[in-house]
Amino acid sequence: MENIAKKEKSVSTTSEKIRELAIDAVFIALTYVFTAFINIKLPIAANGGLIHLGNIPLFIAAIVFGWKTGMIAGGIGMGLFDMISGFWATWAPFTLVIVGLMGFAVGKITEKRNSYVVNLIAIIVAAVIKVVGYYIAEGVIYGNWVAPVSSIPGNLVQIGVAAIIVLPISVRLKKAAAKIFATK
């Protein structure tokens, strides 16, 4: 009888791992697609700048499924875009860390609370991480600490647009996911 219980627990754990892997993969793909195909290249900033909607699936992943999924989806999804694009390849290691930290922060802040205000605070923290992280990255890449200032408006627009889309739906999505997936 004890072996059956262990086997059932093992199957349950395996099923949970498969579900988590599938969710991570879907959000990596969504983050990549929203970054690669829904974007506007700006004629400002040292490298031109890019406004994209990749932060939408990143924030949804982090709020609904937690810090680990947010960190993986954001870092890998956007880092993959940088690597594949060619033009942005230099940014890939920075993006992996910066956007991974954004997903981690949003997920950690929202993991035990499900409210509009908490989600807004989490997205504001993500905006700070993005602005500071990419300011430092651009300073390192270009060896200039003044030029990165021109990238700040584009980064804030990216986060702002994502916030406008994610905030109204995030509380409901998290409740629905909790019912469907029995998540925290």
Side-chain angles (χ1 to χ4, degrees), residues 3 25 48 56 69 82 118 126 132-133 137 145 173 178:
N3 285 338
I56 294 169
T69 299
D82 286 350
V118 171
V132 171
W145 298 98
L173 285 174

Side-chain angles (χ1 to χ4, degrees), residues 27 31 54-63 70-71 73-75 78 99 102-103:
F27 278 99
T31 302
N55 293 297
I56 294 169
L58 158 65
F59 292 154
I60 291 171
I63 291 168
M71 182 175 71
M78 286 190 207
V99 182
M102 289 169 55

Side-chain angles (χ1 to χ4, degrees), residues 90-173:
T90 305
W91 293 87
F94 297 101
T95 295
L96 179 69
V97 172
I98 295 164
V99 182
L101 284 172
M102 289 169 55
F104 174 82
V106 170
K108 273 297 187 182
I109 292 168
T110 62
E111 75 181 340
K112 293 189 172 131
R113 299 169 222 77
N114 189 24
S115 76
Y116 177 85
V117 173
V118 171
N119 295 349
L120 176 62
I121 291 167
I123 290 173
I124 290 169
V125 169
V128 171
I129 292 168
K130 184 175 198 89
V131 168
V132 171
Y134 279 109
Y135 178 88
I136 292 168
E138 194 167 333
V140 169
I141 289 171
Y142 295 112
N144 179 331
W145 298 98
V146 176
V149 172
S150 64
S151 297
I152 294 172
N155 287 332
L156 292 175
V157 167
Q158 276 184 30
I159 299 292
V161 169
I164 289 168
I165 294 168
V166 171
L167 286 172
I169 62 172
S170 58
V171 172
R172 287 186 176 161
L173 285 174

